[in-house]
């Protein structure tokens, strides 16, 4: 299954995290993201291992990092920040539930 940072990815995360789907639906926005590719993927359709982790939780946001590898070799790493926003305006940060 190929995922992007979208509702599909949220549905997959929601399968294993109680309450995530409710939090995701329109209340989390991506405020920062970076990706570093360590090597080109020369084959399409190769199995990859995705290892996400939360590295920090603040009052209104959380930071994550993610490593992507295949057959024991690092392909890429990403990091970013999600901010919980006011549901009514979607403009200002709001405390995480």
């Amino acid at each position: 299954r190929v995922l992007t940072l979208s509702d599909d990815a949220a549905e997959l995360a929601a399968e294993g995290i109680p309450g995530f789907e409710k939090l995701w639906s329109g209340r989390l926005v991506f405020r920062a993201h970076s990706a570093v590719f360590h090597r080109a993927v020369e084959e399409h359709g190769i199995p990859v291992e995705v290892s996400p982790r939360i590295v920090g939780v603040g009052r209104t946001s959380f930071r994550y990092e993610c490593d992507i590898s295949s057959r024991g070799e690092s392909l890429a790493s990403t990091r970013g920040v999600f901010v919980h926003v006011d549901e009514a305006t979607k403009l200002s940060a709001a405390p995480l539930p």
Side-chain angles (χ1 to χ4, degrees):
R1 186 170 170 185
V2 176
L3 299 174
T4 58
L5 186 61
S6 66
D7 289 336
D8 289 341
E11 287 173 19
L12 183 65
E15 291 173 9
I17 305 171
F20 184 82
E21 189 171 10
K22 182 179 177 186
L23 177 63
W24 177 268
S25 65
R27 296 184 208 157
L28 289 176
V29 293
F30 217 21
R31 289 294 189 217
H33 175 72
S34 67
V36 176
F37 293 88
H38 305 292
R39 76 169 190 81
V41 178
E42 296 153 3
E43 303 173 50
H44 293 285
I46 62 170
V48 296
E49 181 178 326
V50 179
S51 304
R53 62 196 169 279
I54 301 297
V55 295
V57 178
R59 193 177 70 77
T60 62
S61 64
F62 63 90
R63 293 180 298 119
Y64 78 91
E65 293 179 354
C66 183
D67 296 315
I68 303 165
S69 61
S70 179
R71 301 176 184 143
E73 186 175 357
S74 178
L75 301 177
S77 55
T78 65
R79 64 178 59 185
V81 177
F82 279 101
V83 177
H84 185 247
V85 294
D86 177 85
E87 192 171 2
T89 67
K90 306 269 194 285
L91 297 175
S92 58
L96 288 168

